[in-house]
């Protein structure tokens, strides 16, 4: 087991990923994870907005998340909870969340810990049961609490990277930047360190019966959309 974990660690390190905590501890923390939360801008993309004020995503990253959810479903016999929490209103995040049947999509959230607490209350989760993909200062209130913290690398923020490392706010920094499949990198890392990557890919290849069963369950999830209004979370119709 240790050799497999070390092999995965070596592979991702060679590709530019940076482990902030020992991989054995990382793998141990992964055993508690029941939910995955993603920031949007700078994580699924490089943070650039179009003339409509939204930003895009890649199908490569989308597939990474789907495989991650499928792998967790295979290993835990239960669908993991999935959400996007964004500080802005990104219509592409709505499209992805609805199409992929994420549990929740939060938008225009300026103090993100409030959204995390709301999400955990709905699904009866503890902070150590949540893995979080993030990239910037707006995300740190969540990163401070979560069990697994994956930060998407960017150029030009060396002092910020030092801050999150010095303050124990990150467990792994991706080798790839936002917009270059960093989400896929993080998803494969979690599958690899959980030693379920190859099993996940094989079952996706075969499709029947496991992936077919997973997909049927996934498609039953109705995405909830939330934003804050007068200090209270309100469900939105998107």
């Amino acid at each position: 087991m240790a050799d497999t974990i070390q092999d995965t660690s070596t592979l991702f390190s060679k590709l530019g990923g940076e482990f902030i905590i020992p991989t054995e501890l990382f793998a141990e923390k992964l055993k508690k994870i029941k939910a995955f939360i993603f920031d949007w801008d700078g994580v699924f993309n490089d943070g650039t907005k179009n003339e409509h004020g939204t930003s895009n995503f890649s199908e490569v990253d989308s597939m990474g998340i789907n495989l991650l959810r499928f792998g967790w479903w295979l290993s835990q016999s239960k669908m993991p909870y999935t959400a996007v929490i964004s500080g802005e209103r990104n219509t592409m995040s709505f499209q992805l969340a609805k199409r992929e049947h994420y549990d929740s999509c939060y938008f225009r959230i300026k103090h993100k810990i409030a959204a995390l607490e709301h999400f955990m209350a709905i699904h009866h989760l503890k902070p150590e049961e949540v893995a979080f993909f993030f990239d910037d200062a707006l995300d740190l209130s969540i990163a401070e609490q979560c069990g697994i913290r994956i930060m998407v690398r960017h150029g030009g923020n060396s002092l910020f990277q030092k801050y999150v490392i010095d303050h124990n706010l990150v467990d792994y920094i991706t080798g790839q930047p936002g917009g270059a499949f960093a989400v896929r990198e993080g998803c494969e890392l979690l599958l690899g360190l959980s030693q379920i990557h190859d099993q996940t890919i094989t079952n996706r290849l075969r499709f029947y019966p496991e992936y077919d069963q997973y997909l049927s369950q996934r498609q039953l999830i109705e995405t909830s959309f939330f934003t804050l209004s007068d200090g209270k979370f309100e469900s939105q119709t998107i």
Side-chain angles (χ1 to χ4, degrees):
M1 181 179 293
D3 289 342
T4 304
I5 290 173
Q6 187 57 50
D7 289 346
T8 299
S9 171
T10 300
L11 175 62
F12 279 82
S13 295
K14 285 182 178 179
L15 294 174
E18 184 177 354
F19 288 90
I20 309 304
I21 64 173
T23 52
E24 293 79 8
L25 175 58
F26 196 113
E28 192 64 29
K29 292 172 68 174
L30 268 177
K31 295 177 181 178
K32 298 180 180 179
I33 297 301
K34 298 179 180 179
F36 303 103
I37 294 179
F38 300 85
D39 176 36
W40 186 261
D41 287 319
V43 172
F44 285 90
N45 48 68
D46 66 3
T48 301
K49 298 294 184 72
N50 63 23
E51 66 272 20
H52 304 294
T54 192
S55 49
N56 219 329
F57 69 91
S58 164
E59 293 292 0
V60 175
D61 288 338
S62 172
M63 178 59 76
I65 297 172
N66 186 52
L67 291 171
L68 180 63
R69 297 168 77 192
F70 179 40
W72 246 249
W73 180 88
L74 283 171
S75 63
Q76 299 188 4
S77 300
K78 184 179 180 181
M79 189 74 65
Y81 302 108
T82 308
V84 171
I85 298 178
S86 177
E88 299 297 335
R89 189 181 193 279
N90 290 286
T91 56
M92 294 302 289
S93 72
F94 302 161
Q95 177 180 319
L96 178 65
K98 184 177 288 189
R99 189 194 75 183
E100 295 296 303
H101 295 267
Y102 296 170
D103 295 276
S104 302
C105 185
Y106 294 81
F107 62 98
R108 288 181 176 156
I109 309 297
K110 301 308 180 185
H111 190 39
K112 291 189 176 182
I113 188 62
L116 173 66
E117 292 171 347
H118 184 263
F119 183 75
M120 290 193 301
I122 291 174
H123 299 293
H124 308 288
L125 294 164
K126 301 174 183 177
E128 61 267 25
E129 295 172 332
V130 177
F132 181 46
F133 288 61
F134 75 101
D135 76 306
D136 219 332
L138 185 61
D139 309 313
L140 294 185
S141 61
I142 294 182
E144 187 176 38
Q145 299 294 323
C146 287
I148 291 288
R149 296 80 53 85
I150 294 180
M151 188 172 92
V152 173
R153 185 181 299 276
H154 293 298
N157 65 349
S158 299
L159 284 177
F160 180 73
Q161 288 189 33
K162 182 178 185 302
Y163 180 93
V164 296
I165 292 171
D166 290 347
H167 290 78
N168 188 31
L169 296 169
V170 62
D171 300 310
Y172 176 82
I173 301 176
T174 62
Q176 299 300 318
F181 317 127
V183 171
R184 181 61 174 264
E185 176 186 340
C187 291
E188 292 204 4
L189 174 70
L190 299 188
L191 288 168
L193 290 181
S194 299
Q195 300 180 84
I196 56 175
H197 176 270
D198 289 2
Q199 174 195 4
T200 301
I201 299 301
T202 297
N203 279 282
R204 176 62 184 88
L205 167 67
R206 302 301 177 205
F207 198 94
Y208 297 105
E210 283 84 1
Y211 188 76
D212 184 52
Q213 293 171 4
Y214 156 80
L215 190 60
S216 295
Q217 291 183 26
R218 194 198 77 169
Q219 298 303 98
L220 294 176
I221 298 172
E222 294 187 9
T223 306
S224 298
F225 296 87
F226 297 101
T227 192
L228 274 172
S229 178
D230 296 325
K232 296 181 180 180
F233 282 98
E234 291 188 352
S235 178
Q236 303 287 304
T237 301
I238 301 296

